[in-house]
Amino acid sequence: MSRVLAVAPALPPHVYPQQQISEAIVPLLAPEGGRRRLAHRVHAASGVDTRHLALPIDEYADLTSFGDANAHFVRVGTDLAEQAGREALAAAGVRPDEVDLVFFTSVTGLGAPSIDAALVHRLGLRPDVRRVPSFGLGCAGGAAGLAHLHEYLAGHPRQVALLVSVELCSLTFQRDDTSTANLVSSGLFGDGATAVVVGGDAVRHGTGPTAQVMGSRSHLYPGTAGALGWDVRDTGFGIVLSPELPELLRAHLAGDVKDLLAPHDLTADDVGTWVVHAGGPKVVDAVRDALALSESDVARSRATLAAEGNLSSSSVLHVLAATLDDGAPRPGEWAVLMAFGPGVAAELVLLSGQEPA
């Protein structure tokens, strides 16, 4: 088994109301006319009230190349990763030199060496720390990373692992692209990072609310590769975002949850807390409908979406942080964490509430 010892979200300091972002960004995407009006309508219906951006809003007009955008990703992303990592380790009561593995996930920028390498020096991690950088899991990366750490720690119960997610989605928007997918994504995605400290079963750090990881499940839906992901262009990452995603979740998610719970002799009725990726209003609606949940079950996801937008792989981890801060899941209560990414793939993690060590 493994235990979540601390979760630390981090957001850039540049925060703006959704309307102000739309007024600045939409003219860069669409000329005057119907597509510009559509963009404003889509932004207003996104369920997002505010977003944090990697750059001051007036600098996006000068962001004209993938190279420039990626340089900002490395610079800002490394700072946010360090901030989140320091806060998570401090909250967990774990010294940097006690970390044995770092799993880094992002889908909004590239680096070689990757950002996790810079964290070794910045955080004071051991030079022999194991590093696993991941690109391509998309919005599912936070959930998948937590599952991978759980599997690693099952064989290393005395070790500590650090999950780091950095997503600077605003740096990926495509100028002069009036596709509906680009108009939607430019109003939905925000910027942020998260660090999660996870300990093996024999580790007794942490004094705050914790959750034990009990199991996980991945499901890649066949024939859906073109529904979600990136179209990699000379100008960077062009969003692929099919409107069929909510229907895929409605069709498959209940079965995925059933398969996650069955080995533990549980059903959905035994789950008291749902930690749902804040992927957008229609994604949250689809999860609610597929699992016959109440609005209160997805309230934290909607609140995270409204305050921050969709943070890709960091989104579900921010919802997890809010859940733990609220004292859920309570000791002995079951929780299911879920996120969805390119593939299309669903990543689910089963959690159990624990008393602080």
Side-chain angles (χ1 to χ4, degrees):
M1 300 298 174
S2 63
R3 193 161 57 94
V4 176
L5 303 178
V7 183
L11 294 165
H14 314 296
V15 57
Y16 303 96
Q18 177 77 326
Q19 183 176 350
Q20 185 177 354
I21 295 174
S22 295
E23 290 170 353
I25 297 299
V26 168
L28 305 178
L29 308 178
E32 292 285 357
R35 300 303 287 179
R36 182 176 291 193
R37 291 192 294 272
L38 174 62
H40 283 297
R41 290 198 302 271
V42 168
H43 286 202
S46 65
V48 178
D49 295 333
T50 58
R51 282 185 283 167
H52 294 251
L53 303 181
L55 306 177
I57 198 167
D58 57 359
E59 293 186 14
Y60 284 87
D62 298 323
L63 197 64
T64 58
S65 75
F66 175 56
D68 286 344
N70 200 68
H72 287 303
F73 170 83
V74 173
R75 176 181 59 84
V76 177
T78 303
D79 289 344
L80 282 175
E82 179 184 1
Q83 175 188 337
R86 286 191 184 282
E87 292 177 2
L89 291 172
V94 171
R95 299 192 315 272
D97 62 4
E98 293 179 294
V99 175
D100 301 287
L101 172 72
V102 179
F103 186 101
F104 173 74
T105 186
S106 181
V107 76
T108 52
L110 299 169
S114 47
I115 283 175
D116 50 288
L119 292 182
V120 175
H121 171 71
R122 289 206 182 191
L123 295 178
L125 307 179
R126 300 195 315 269
D128 66 345
V129 67
R130 293 181 180 271
R131 296 186 296 111
V132 183
S134 167
F135 179 91
L137 290 167
C139 295
L146 189 59
H148 284 303
L149 293 192
H150 170 64
E151 292 170 358
Y152 174 83
L153 292 169
H156 302 82
R158 297 185 181 279
Q159 293 194 8
V160 174
L162 180 66
L163 168 62
V164 179
S165 161
V166 172
E167 302 290 10
L168 303 183
C169 306
S170 70
L171 299 176
T172 69
F173 87 95
Q174 297 293 291
R175 297 175 68 105
D176 304 317
D177 179 352
T178 61
S179 66
T180 300
N182 193 50
L183 301 185
V184 170
S185 68
S186 65
L188 178 62
F189 288 92
D191 298 341
T194 324
V196 184
V197 181
V198 186
D201 208 32
V203 174
R204 289 293 175 263
H205 288 284
T207 59
T210 65
Q212 190 166 13
V213 183
M214 305 299 293
S216 65
R217 174 175 172 77
S218 300
H219 188 185
L220 186 66
Y221 302 150
T224 63
L228 183 64
W230 290 135
D231 171 23
V232 182
R233 311 167 181 171
D234 292 342
T235 54
F237 300 129
I239 189 72
V240 176
L241 186 63
S242 169
E244 70 183 73
L245 179 59
E247 293 311 311
L248 285 171
L249 298 180
R250 285 187 171 90
H252 296 287
L253 189 56
D256 295 336
V257 170
K258 180 179 179 180
D259 291 341
L260 172 73
L261 298 176
H264 303 272
D265 295 323
L266 300 171
T267 70
D269 290 338
D270 297 310
V271 178
T273 298
W274 300 89
V275 185
V276 178
H277 166 53
K282 292 182 179 179
V283 168
V284 177
D285 287 349
V287 172
R288 180 199 61 196
D289 297 346
L291 302 176
L293 304 182
S294 68
E295 265 302 303
S296 63
D297 289 323
V298 295
R300 295 186 191 93
S301 300
R302 294 206 195 274
T304 299
L305 179 66
E308 304 169 358
N310 179 344
L311 302 182
S312 191
S313 67
S314 268
S315 178
V316 76
L317 302 179
H318 280 226
V319 179
L320 176 60
T323 302
L324 294 175
D325 285 346
D326 286 344
R330 297 185 300 273
E333 181 181 70
W334 296 97
V336 172
L337 178 148
M338 64 184 72
F340 320 102
V344 169
E347 296 286 344
L348 296 89
V349 179
L350 179 63
L351 304 169
S352 176
Q354 296 287 301
E355 295 282 0

